[in-house]
């Protein structure tokens, strides 16, 4: 193979997969390097036991915490990256999230671009990822130049009742934006069959609009796009003057191969992108590539998330539960002036998912009891913003392994959000005192292993002294190096991160098309 390409994209998740699709029709010679393989299509995709108990799709990797204790992070090394398992809730950040916001524990910094600059790309991202939703119901919703491309996913009866109860109580529930290929008007021809194994599972029928389905597969229809799977990038080598990337060192089928590209885009996920830059240190970049600011790996964020289960007085036989969200407390509430965050539904719990979850002491309970709890469970996901802290960071140990140093912050608003939801349960047809924490997705005692929403390790900004990337997500210090995954976030907001990574990849893609024209 001729190993020289116009563009090489490393990683095929929300950032890389989207960018590949956007650039595919340019006729440029594009190479995608992905360390994982295709996620197998198999019956286990929808098995609670295999996915939730046996962690079948969590890729083997070992990271270390601040004390050197090893843990297995919740990472998914596949074509499509973490989106293969995601809940497909594709939210825009709020307009205010792009400005500076005062939080309980400090400042959430302003972004170097405005919401208005990102808006057209959010609209394109919603189109590309087939997002269902409804504008005009969420009081915190940012302005949008177009309606959602698809109607909101309907609530099933228990969630419809919850929606009505919330409205009666004076709140403003809205339809959660959802990226599934569902056609409720024509069920026999709908790709999505509306099942109960979506959030946290791969989609067996390829109806989840993830980065493989919406990005990589259509990109590969173009002859100028090549994908190499099981291609683990180890190091980026610069030219002698250190101003550009000259060679990419890849472990491919157990052998080392070198590739060259005019433009190199790193999109390995926030932790692994930082790892790659740090591991590529050389004489000209002694602290790691693009790291003259000493910001690579710092400001790691991953949301203050809480999965909780409320026990409904009536059964909750909902299958696809992720249809409702509430932002009434996003910016605070009466008596608490700081942002608290977003409440949304979690994928519907099933008895087998509770196995091994400490708060419910499930190990001692027979399956029938767990199934009974699940039948009455209404499952919520609460997200509060964690603030960028330079000491919360990815570093490498002497063997080149990822060390994640993370001290939680902004915990008071997280607790406020929890207690606020708890105080509302009586009005919502649920046992007023029972809001039970859950370990959704990952059975582990180490909360930092839940890296699903990792971001911030290569923040973009105008000042090379305080940021890694410029506003086009090009490294300040290298002419041909870009980063387009969630690493670029200067703050994380309190809604799920993927749509912002996708929209930004489209924005950076436009810049690259212009640069190469
Ligand atoms: C269970 C779960 C549920 C989620 N639900 C939602 C949701 O509902 N809504 C939402 O917005 N977000 C959700 N997320 C988060 C979302 O999936 C991530 O924010 C998003 O995928 C991040 O995109 P990325 O491009 O930064 O990284 P990723 O999507 O992780 O992609 C990184 C890619 O790089 C590859 N890679 C890594 N290192 C290398 C290397 N050295 N060489 C080559 N390839 C490499 C990886 O294999 C991977 O394919 C969820 C995540 C999980 C795990
Ligand atoms: S709900 Fe639809 S998109 Fe999600 S896993 Fe089931 S069939 Fe796939």
């Amino acid at each position: 193979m001729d190993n020289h390409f116009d563009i090489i994209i490393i990683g095929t998740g929300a950032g890389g997969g989207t960018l590949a699709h956007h650039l595919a029709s340019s006729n440029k010679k594009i190479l995608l390097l992905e360390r994982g393989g295709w996620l197998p299509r198999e019956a286990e995709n929808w098995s609670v036991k295999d996915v939730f108990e046996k962690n079948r799709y969590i890729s083997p990797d070992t990271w270390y915490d601040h004390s050197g204790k090893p843990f297995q992070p919740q990472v998914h090394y596949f074509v499509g990256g973490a989106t293969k398992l995601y809940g497909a809730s594709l939210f825009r950040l709020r307009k205010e999230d792009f400005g500076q916001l005062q939080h309980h524990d400090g400042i959430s910094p302003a972004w170097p671009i405005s919401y208005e600059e990102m808006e057209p790309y959010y609209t394109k991202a919603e189109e590309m990822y087939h997002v269902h939703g409804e504008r005009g119901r969420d009081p915190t919703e940012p302005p949008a130049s177009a309606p959602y491309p698809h109607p909101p996913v309907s609530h099933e009866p228990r969630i419809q009742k919850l929606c009505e109860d919330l409205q009666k109580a004076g709140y403003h529930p809205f339809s959660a934006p959802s990226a599934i290929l569902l056609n409720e008007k024509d069920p026999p021809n709908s790709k999505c069959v509306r099942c109960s194994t979506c959030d946290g599972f791969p989609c067996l029928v390829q109806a989840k609009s993830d980065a493989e389905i919406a990005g990589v597969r259509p990109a590969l229809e173009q002859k100028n796009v090549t994908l190499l799977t099981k291609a683990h990038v180890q190091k980026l080598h610069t030219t002698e003057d250190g101003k550009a990337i000259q060679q990419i060192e890849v472990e491919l089928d157990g052998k080392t191969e070198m590739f060259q590209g005019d433009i190199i885009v790193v999109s390995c996920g926030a932790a692994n992108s930082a790892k790659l830059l740090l591991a590529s240190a050389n004489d000209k970049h002694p602290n790691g590539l693009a790291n003259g600011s000493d910001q690579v790996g710092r400001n790691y964020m991953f949301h203050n998330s809480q999965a909780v289960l409320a026990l409904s007085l009536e059964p909750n036989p909902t299958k696809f539960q992720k249809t409702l969200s509430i932002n009434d407390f996003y910016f605070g509430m009466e008596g608490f002036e700081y942002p608290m965050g977003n409440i949304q539904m979690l994928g519907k719990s099933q008895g087998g998912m509770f196995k091994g979850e400490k708060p419910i002491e499930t190990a001692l309970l027979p399956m029938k009891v767990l199934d009974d709890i699940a039948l009455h469970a209404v499952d919520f996901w609460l997200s509060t913003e964690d603030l960028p802290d330079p000491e919360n960071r990815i570093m490498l140990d002497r063997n080149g392994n990822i060390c994640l140093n993370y001290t939680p912050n902004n915990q008071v608003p997280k607790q406020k959000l929890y207690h606020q939801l708890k105080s509302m349960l009586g009005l919502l047809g649920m046992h007023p005192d029972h809001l039970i924490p859950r370990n959704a997705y990952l059975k582990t005692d180490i909360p930092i292993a839940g890296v699903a929403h990792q971001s911030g390790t290569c923040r973009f900004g105008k000042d090379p002294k305080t940021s890694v990337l410029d506003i086009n997500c090009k490294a300040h210090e290298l002419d041909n190096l870009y980063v387009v995954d969630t690493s670029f976030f200067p703050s994380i907001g309190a809604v799920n991160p993927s749509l912002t990574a996708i929209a930004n990849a489209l924005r950076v893609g436009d810049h690259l098309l212009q640069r190469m024209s």
Side-chain angles (χ1 to χ4, degrees):
M1 186 189 340
D2 170 11
N3 283 4
H4 186 277
F5 291 80
D6 297 317
I7 306 162
I8 299 182
I9 301 172
I10 307 168
T12 58
T18 302
L19 181 68
H21 179 266
H22 195 56
L23 300 180
S25 55
S26 67
N27 258 334
K28 297 287 173 192
K29 212 175 144 204
I30 300 170
L31 175 65
L32 294 176
L33 294 170
E34 168 54 55
R35 75 181 281 177
W38 297 95
L39 192 144
R41 293 187 72 197
E42 51 189 9
E44 288 87 343
N45 287 175
W46 280 351
S47 152
V48 171
K49 194 175 180 61
D50 285 290
V51 176
F52 272 73
E53 250 187 84
K54 298 189 179 167
N55 289 333
R56 184 174 180 85
Y57 302 109
I58 295 192
S59 304
D61 207 350
T62 305
W63 297 2
Y64 296 83
D65 72 7
H66 68 282
S67 65
K69 186 173 167 194
F71 66 93
Q72 186 179 8
Q74 181 198 22
V75 287
H76 307 286
Y77 300 143
F78 295 106
V79 176
T83 68
K84 288 307 297 170
L85 282 294
Y86 79 168
S89 290
L90 292 190
F91 285 84
R92 297 179 178 211
L93 284 173
R94 314 294 88 179
K95 179 177 159 68
E96 294 82 346
D97 288 322
F98 285 75
Q100 178 173 303
L101 273 176
Q102 179 68 50
H103 278 252
H104 183 272
D105 277 16
I107 296 286
S108 168
W111 287 39
I113 59 170
S114 63
Y115 173 77
E116 286 70 23
E117 285 166 272
M118 193 67 106
E119 197 288 325
Y121 297 104
Y122 272 132
T123 297
K124 285 181 188 156
E126 287 166 348
E127 184 70 45
M128 179 178 169
Y129 276 73
H130 204 93
V131 182
H132 295 253
E134 185 182 20
R135 307 234 192 263
R137 302 249 172 219
D138 169 9
T140 70
E141 178 179 272
S145 55
Y148 277 105
H150 301 280
V153 177
S154 64
H155 300 310
E156 289 172 53
R158 179 66 190 88
I159 304 304
Q160 179 61 38
K161 170 88 172 45
L162 173 63
C163 181
E164 287 161 14
D165 288 344
L166 281 162
Q167 283 166 337
K168 268 187 230 147
Y171 300 110
H172 303 86
F174 60 95
S175 297
S178 188
I180 54 176
L181 304 174
L182 177 69
N183 184 347
E184 295 193 79
K185 290 210 176 102
D186 186 12
N189 290 307
S190 171
K191 277 196 158 190
C192 169
V193 297
R194 192 172 187 139
C195 70
S196 53
T197 45
C198 192
D199 190 11
F201 295 81
C203 178
L204 179 58
V205 295
Q206 300 192 324
K208 198 192 287 190
S209 194
D210 57 39
E212 176 203 328
I213 301 299
V216 179
R217 280 181 184 268
L220 289 176
E221 285 167 17
Q222 307 284 340
K223 286 204 179 67
N224 52 312
V225 182
T226 305
L227 166 70
L228 292 179
T229 56
K230 307 279 168 76
H232 188 176
V233 176
Q234 305 289 321
K235 199 167 176 178
L236 306 177
H237 297 271
T238 66
T239 48
E240 259 181 43
D241 63 9
K243 289 192 176 154
I245 306 295
Q246 191 172 40
Q247 302 249 44
I248 301 185
E249 184 181 325
V250 185
E251 194 184 288
L252 190 61
D253 289 334
K255 291 193 203 117
T256 300
E257 267 210 58
M258 302 303 261
F259 291 86
Q260 301 84 40
D262 295 342
I263 304 274
I264 311 300
V265 183
V266 173
S267 193
C268 301
N272 278 304
S273 286
K275 175 185 177 184
L276 183 58
L277 298 189
L278 293 172
S280 302
N282 61 25
D283 289 352
K284 295 282 186 236
H285 299 270
N287 296 323
L289 282 191
N291 199 19
S293 61
D294 190 28
Q295 293 301 305
V296 173
R298 293 188 185 271
N299 306 302
Y300 176 92
M301 298 165 283
F302 76 141
H303 276 143
N304 285 322
S305 302
Q306 307 174 80
V308 291
L309 164 169
L311 288 176
S312 178
L313 300 173
E314 57 184 283
N316 176 16
T318 305
K319 285 192 168 159
F320 187 82
Q321 187 170 245
K322 247 174 135 49
T323 55
L324 180 141
S325 184
I326 315 163
N327 274 335
D328 290 81
F329 317 108
Y330 198 91
F331 296 113
M333 63 178 185
E334 219 183 303
F336 190 75
E337 59 186 311
Y338 302 106
M340 290 159 66
N342 164 268
I343 299 176
Q344 61 186 270
M345 310 312 293
L346 195 58
K348 181 71 193 77
S349 54
Q350 301 179 44
M353 292 180 185
F354 301 145
K355 286 252 169 221
E357 290 200 0
K358 288 231 168 66
I360 310 176
E361 291 301 348
T362 53
L364 308 172
L365 295 175
M367 202 54 215
K368 182 167 174 336
V369 177
L370 297 182
D371 285 341
D372 231 39
I373 295 175
L375 180 62
H376 287 267
V378 178
D379 312 83
F380 296 92
W381 177 256
L382 280 53
S383 290
T384 299
E385 183 163 350
D386 55 339
L387 302 173
D389 173 351
E391 295 312 316
N392 285 345
R393 61 188 292 205
I394 298 291
M395 290 176 289
L396 301 187
D397 69 12
R398 73 169 78 102
N399 299 316
N401 298 308
I402 289 181
C403 298
L404 174 52
N405 188 42
Y406 187 86
T407 306
N409 60 47
N410 228 15
Q411 296 294 295
V412 172
K414 171 180 165 178
Q415 294 307 329
K416 285 271 177 202
L417 192 60
Y418 173 85
H419 288 296
Q420 179 57 27
L421 178 60
K422 195 169 175 185
S423 74
M424 293 155 58
L425 295 181
L427 294 172
L428 306 176
M430 297 178 215
H431 287 283
D433 298 329
H434 295 348
L435 194 58
I436 306 168
R438 285 194 47 203
N439 282 334
Y441 307 137
L442 192 69
K443 309 289 177 290
T444 173
D445 286 339
I446 302 185
I448 56 167
V451 300
H453 289 188
Q454 57 182 287
S455 68
T457 54
C458 300
R459 51 167 36 178
F460 78 151
K462 289 182 179 155
D463 185 352
K465 290 199 192 81
T466 55
S467 55
V468 177
L469 308 171
D470 70 11
I471 61 163
N472 294 317
C473 289
K474 184 185 84 61
H476 287 297
E477 294 170 8
L478 288 116
D479 293 336
N480 65 346
L481 176 66
Y482 290 78
V483 181
V484 298
D485 51 29
T486 52
S487 308
F488 83 100
F489 285 32
S491 66
I492 192 172
V495 287
N496 321 43
S498 296
L499 192 73
T500 301
I502 292 164
N504 185 59
L506 297 174
R507 187 182 70 88
V508 174
D510 272 1
H511 159 79
L512 289 174
L513 289 173
Q514 211 175 15
R515 172 175 169 163
M516 292 183 301
S517 65

